[in-house]
Amino acid sequence: MAGFGFGYGPSLATRIRPSTTRLAGIAPGEGWTGVAGSGFQAVPIDPVRTLAKPAMRLLVPPNQAYTDRLLVGVYAGANNGGTLIDNMGLEKVVAHYEGRAIEIPEPSLQSFNDANGNPVTYFGWWIELRRDGRDGEANLYFEAVPQDPELQRRVMGPYAFFPQAVVHDYSVIVAPSQPVIGGGRYQSVTAALTYMRSVGAHHPLITITEPGLYDILNTGSPPYLGAGYCTISADVPVTIGKTAYTNDANAIMRINYEGLRFQGENITFDLKNVSYMRSERLRDLWFDGVKFINSDGRYHLWRKGKRPVPQFGDGSPWYTECDFFNVSYAACRSSLLRGSAFREGFNDVATDGACVIGNRVDDWDSTPDWHKDVDAMTVRYVGPETTATLALAGGNDVSSVRTFTARWGANSATFQVSASEAYYLAGTNYDVSDVVAWLNGLGVGFEATLIDDSRRASALSLPGLKGIGFGQMSVKSTTLLLVTEFDVHADFWQQNSIAGGGIVENVIIAENTVVGMVGQDIFIKGSDGARDFLVLNNAFWNKIGESVYATNSGTASQVQQNHSHVVIAHNTWASQQFNLRTQDTYNPDSFCLFANNVLRRINWLGPIDADLKIADNHIFEGWTAPSQGTGTTIAGNYDTLLVDPANGDFTPTALLQGMTRAPKVGHDRKRKKRGESCPPGAD
C-alpha cells in the first residue's frame, strides 16, 4: 500500500521523515565482484513506453566516488486520476544496486551541505549508498512504480558509483609561480590534466593555489575518459577564461579531458572571450557551486553582435548550486539544474533542461540592451533620377547573407552583409560603415551618413520591425533612418525539437522562483511532442512594462503539439496568461492535467480538447473561466492576490487565502506541507 509521501495524503498523517534521520542504506549485492554489472542476475529493464510513465530524474550527478556513505535521490511523480497528493502519485520507488534492491516507500526532505558548505534541502526519494569494504564500480538503477495501473513503470540507469578506500586516486596542485614537481605540482591546469591522462587517473583532484586568470588548453588526442570525475577546485579566488578574443576557433575551450567537475565558489568562469567549453559527449561536465559572469556586462558585443554559440556548457551539464551573472543562455540543455541563482541576464535560462529544481532568477531581460532599436545610419538620394529606393532581404542578424538592393531609375546595385566570422575577418561587408561606404561609393546620388558603428550591419532594419528585412523604401529627396536591432528574447524554459537539441520525454520543472522576467516562462512546443512532464510549484513574476518589443499583456506561457502525461499544477503566474494552442496541433491525452494554478487567464487558441483536465485554477477578474474547466475561481489581480510578487513574495493575500480547494501536490514551492484545503498557486 502506498505511503502518504510527505504526509499529505487524504488523512494528512504526519509522515515526513526528518532529514536528520538516517535513511535506508544499500550496498552492492553479494555477487558483485567490483566490476560494473557483475552483481545483477537480471538487469532492470525500462519498458517500451506505450501509454504513460512517471517522470523521474536524478537529483545528484552519477560517477561519484565515496568512502563511507553517499546520499543519492530522485525527484519522481505521476498523475493519479487528476492528483499527485498521495505519495506524488507513486506506489514506491525502488533502488537497484548490483543485485540488491530496496524500496523507498515515500519521498522525504533531505538536507546536506553543498560544495561551498552551505546547507541545502531538497524534496525527493532518497537513499544512502554504503561501502561495505568492497571497492570498484557499481551500477545503480531507480524504478518508479505508479499507483495508476494504466501507467507503466519507469526504470532509469545504469548510473555508475564507486565505493573505494579514498575518494581521489591522484592529487596535484597548480601554482604558476612555483617550480614544477612531477606528480605533485604544475604551473597550469592544462599541464596538471595532461599528467592525469598520462597516469590513467580515474578520480583525481586538481587544486589551484594561486589567484589569476587560467585558460585550459587541449590536453591531447583522443579525448581522455577516466572512470569518474576529475575535480578541479581552488583554494583562492581564480578566473577561468581567456585574455582576449582572436577568432571563433580559439574562443572555444576544447580540453579533450572528459568528466570534469569544477567545484567551489572560488572558481569564476568569465565568458567574455570564451564561446563555450566543449564536451566530446563521453561524460557531461559538472559545475558544482561555481560562478559564471561576463566581465564586460550584460550588453557584451561579440564581434559587434550576439554570441555565436548559445550556451557555455556543451552537451548536457550538471549544475548544482551555481551563480550566474550577466550571461546569456545560462544553463540550457542541462541534465540537472539545481539550487542555482541567476541575475541580470538575457536570452533563455533553462531551456530543454531535464530536471530544473529549486532555482532563483532575478531580472532576466533582453530588452534594455539587445531587443531595441539603435539609430545606425541614414540614407537619401539626391541624384537626377525621379525614383530611388533601398531594400533589405534576409533574416535578422543571420550568418547567411542579407542583401541590400539600391535602385535609382532603371538601375540597381546590391551589397551583401553577414554576421559570420568570415565576413568579420574580411572587414568589407560586416560593419554599418561598410554599407554607408557602399552607398556613397556608387557615385550616383546616394548620400549615406553613419550614426553608430558599434553593432554589425547584419542587424540593420527599420524602426519597429524587430530587425527583419524590408521592401523597397523610397529615398528620393527623403531621408530614411536605419536602425540596428537584435531580435533577442528570453524564455525561462522552452522545448525545442529533437533536431534542435530538444528534450521530448521525462522532464521535471519544480519549485523555481522567477522574478523580473521579460519573456515566456514555460513554452512546451517541440515538434516531436512532450511525454511525462511535471511542471509543479513554480512562481513567476514578469515585468509589466509595455513597449514596442516588450508587451507583457501579449506574452504567454504556452503548450502546443502532441502531449502525453504533461502535468502543470500549483504554479503561480503572477502577471502572465497561459495559452492552449490547439490551432497549432496541441493535442493532450487524458493523463494531462492543468490544475490549481494562479494566473491572469487560461486561453484556448483553437478548438477545445476534452482530454485535458482543467481543474481548480484561479484567474484574474475581468476574464472568463476556460471552457472545459471545473472549479475555476475569478477575483483580483497581481496587486490584490499576492503580497509582493515583484520582489519575490508570492504569499497569498487574504483574498486568495479565501479561495481554498483540495491541493493536487502535497508540498508547496518552499517545500512546506499543504493542508487538506489551501489556496491554489505555488505557495
Side-chain angles (χ1 to χ4, degrees):
M1 179 177 180
F4 289 126
F6 233 18
Y8 309 153
S11 70
L12 294 181
T14 303
R15 294 169 54 88
I16 305 175
R17 181 186 294 113
S19 59
T20 55
T21 300
R22 173 137 290 176
L23 287 170
I26 187 171
E30 293 180 359
W32 179 64
T33 64
V35 176
S38 60
F40 290 106
Q41 291 185 351
V43 174
I45 300 296
D46 186 41
V48 175
R49 189 184 189 278
T50 58
L51 196 60
K53 295 181 180 180
M56 177 171 61
R57 287 288 178 177
L58 276 179
L59 290 171
V60 297
N63 296 101
Q64 295 190 59
Y66 64 98
T67 59
D68 182 26
R69 303 170 189 270
L70 181 67
L71 183 66
V72 179
V74 295
Y75 193 107
N79 185 2
N80 181 28
T83 182
L84 290 77
I85 194 67
D86 184 2
N87 224 37
M88 289 294 289
L90 301 183
E91 179 184 332
K92 59 188 174 183
V93 169
V94 184
H96 302 268
Y97 198 36
E98 288 293 347
R100 186 167 286 155
I102 187 169
E103 294 185 356
I104 309 171
E106 58 189 1
S108 62
L109 286 173
Q110 293 299 319
S111 298
F112 53 92
N113 289 338
D114 67 11
N116 295 309
N118 301 312
V120 294
T121 301
Y122 294 102
F123 171 83
W125 303 75
W126 297 95
I127 58 165
E128 280 185 344
L129 303 185
R130 296 182 181 175
R131 176 174 176 261
D132 61 6
R134 296 174 297 159
D135 297 341
E137 180 177 353
N139 281 345
L140 175 68
Y141 295 79
F142 282 100
E143 177 184 7
V145 182
Q147 291 189 32
D148 188 333
E150 288 193 83
L151 269 66
Q152 300 165 270
R153 301 181 177 208
R154 179 179 295 278
V155 175
M156 293 178 58
Y159 300 112
F161 289 91
F162 300 87
Q164 54 192 45
V166 293
V167 172
H168 301 293
D169 51 356
Y170 292 88
S171 179
V172 302
I173 66 171
V174 172
S177 70
Q178 299 299 312
V180 172
I181 301 174
R185 185 170 63 207
Y186 295 90
Q187 294 179 334
S188 70
V189 177
T190 308
L193 286 169
T194 302
Y195 165 73
M196 295 304 178
R197 288 180 62 124
S198 71
V199 295
H202 292 296
H203 310 277
L205 172 65
I206 297 172
T207 305
I208 305 172
T209 61
E210 294 182 359
L213 175 66
Y214 291 82
D215 190 1
I216 308 178
L217 306 177
N218 196 319
T219 61
S221 184
Y224 177 77
L225 178 67
Y229 276 98
C230 172
T231 300
I232 299 175
S233 65
D235 288 344
V236 294
V238 302
T239 300
I240 295 177
K242 293 181 179 291
T243 56
Y245 172 84
T246 54
N247 57 54
D248 283 6
N250 289 337
I252 300 169
M253 196 169 279
R254 185 177 185 180
I255 303 170
N256 260 356
Y257 193 117
E258 293 292 274
L260 294 178
R261 175 188 185 182
F262 296 92
Q263 185 179 55
E265 62 189 352
N266 276 336
I267 295 179
T268 297
F269 289 90
D270 187 352
L271 278 55
K272 177 181 177 181
N273 298 312
V274 182
S275 56
Y276 71 104
M277 180 175 286
R278 177 163 168 164
S279 166
E280 308 304 324
R281 312 300 172 90
L282 302 178
R283 180 168 302 127
D284 287 312
L285 295 156
W286 181 5
F287 300 104
D288 189 14
V290 301
K291 300 175 183 177
F292 298 88
I293 66 167
N294 189 316
S295 60
D296 203 34
R298 175 155 54 179
Y299 183 48
H300 168 69
L301 292 168
W302 184 286
R303 292 194 279 100
K304 295 191 172 185
K306 300 173 292 186
R307 295 172 62 84
V309 178
Q311 67 190 63
F312 172 75
D314 192 23
S316 298
W318 304 82
Y319 298 95
T320 50
E321 291 81 41
C322 293
D323 186 88
F324 299 80
F325 179 63
N326 277 172
V327 301
S328 65
Y329 287 111
C332 299
R333 298 176 184 168
S334 61
S335 292
L336 172 67
L337 175 57
R338 188 190 76 192
S340 295
F342 301 80
R343 295 169 293 124
E344 298 179 30
F346 64 102
N347 281 124
D348 292 4
V349 178
T351 282
D352 287 316
C355 186
V356 182
I357 298 284
N359 303 285
R360 171 73 186 238
V361 178
D362 287 279
D363 187 14
W364 212 260
D365 186 353
S366 301
T367 59
D369 305 307
W370 296 91
H371 203 17
K372 71 174 184 179
D373 293 334
V374 174
D375 294 352
M377 60 173 286
T378 59
V379 58
R380 65 175 182 164
Y381 176 79
V382 294
E385 300 292 346
T386 58
T387 61
T389 62
L390 183 69
L392 173 61
N396 176 244
D397 196 41
V398 292
S399 293
S400 56
V401 296
R402 305 186 82 190
T403 302
F404 285 92
T405 302
R407 291 183 172 87
W408 61 103
N411 309 293
S412 66
T414 61
F415 186 76
Q416 293 184 330
V417 298
S418 171
S420 72
E421 182 189 20
Y423 274 60
Y424 170 74
L425 294 175
T428 56
N429 294 62
Y430 193 82
D431 299 330
V432 175
S433 57
D434 295 332
V435 180
V436 170
W438 164 67
L439 287 166
N440 289 332
L442 292 174
V444 295
F446 286 99
E447 292 183 347
T449 301
L450 180 67
I451 300 173
D452 177 77
D453 206 27
S454 66
R455 309 194 334 167
R456 58 196 179 205
S458 54
L460 282 166
S461 184
L462 300 181
L465 292 189
K466 291 188 178 182
I468 65 172
F470 51 88
Q472 297 181 41
M473 300 295 296
S474 175
V475 293
K476 172 65 176 178
S477 300
T478 186
T479 299
L480 181 68
L481 172 66
L482 273 66
V483 299
T484 50
E485 201 279 340
F486 296 101
D487 188 12
V488 172
H489 57 274
D491 298 276
F492 174 69
W493 196 99
Q494 179 184 163
Q495 180 197 31
N496 289 297
S497 66
I498 293 175
I503 187 168
V504 172
E505 186 175 323
N506 193 22
V507 170
I508 295 167
I509 307 165
E511 301 163 15
N512 300 289
T513 304
V514 179
V515 178
M517 183 87 182
V518 174
Q520 296 174 117
D521 300 320
I522 300 293
F523 192 13
I524 309 174
K525 54 84 179 178
S527 58
D528 305 288
R531 302 186 292 269
D532 308 321
F533 280 44
L534 298 181
V535 184
L536 309 175
N537 290 330
N538 302 287
F540 303 98
W541 167 259
N542 297 79
K543 293 181 181 180
I544 300 301
E546 301 285 325
S547 66
V548 174
Y549 297 146
T551 56
N552 174 264
S553 61
T555 303
S557 289
Q558 306 184 75
V559 286
Q560 60 189 63
Q561 306 297 340
N562 293 318
H563 282 199
S564 174
H565 188 218
V566 174
V567 177
I568 302 172
H570 279 288
N571 302 285
T572 297
W573 281 279
S575 52
Q576 194 163 100
Q577 64 189 19
F578 203 100
N579 290 340
L580 309 170
R581 302 180 64 94
T582 50
Q583 66 182 20
D584 294 313
T585 68
Y586 175 51
N587 181 27
D589 70 5
S590 60
F591 296 107
C592 289
L593 176 67
F594 192 91
N596 291 66
N597 302 290
V598 174
L599 65 168
R600 177 181 288 160
R601 67 166 170 160
I602 304 167
N603 189 27
W604 286 102
L605 294 181
I608 296 161
D609 192 317
D611 285 330
L612 175 65
K613 182 175 182 179
I614 304 175
D616 299 324
N617 299 286
H618 182 89
I619 63 175
F620 293 179
E621 61 186 0
W623 302 105
T624 57
S627 299
Q628 202 64 35
T630 62
T632 306
T633 51
I634 305 171
N637 55 38
Y638 52 77
D639 283 328
T640 58
L641 294 169
L642 306 164
V643 170
D644 190 7
N647 289 299
D649 188 348
F650 294 88
T651 304
T653 63
L655 176 60
L656 187 56
Q657 287 178 3
M659 306 285 179
T660 59
R661 61 213 67 194
K664 304 298 186 294
V665 180
H667 65 288
D668 67 13
R669 177 177 61 98
K670 298 177 181 178
R671 306 180 183 100
K672 297 179 180 179
K673 70 175 183 178
R674 289 189 166 103
E676 291 184 357
S677 184
C678 63
D683 289 12

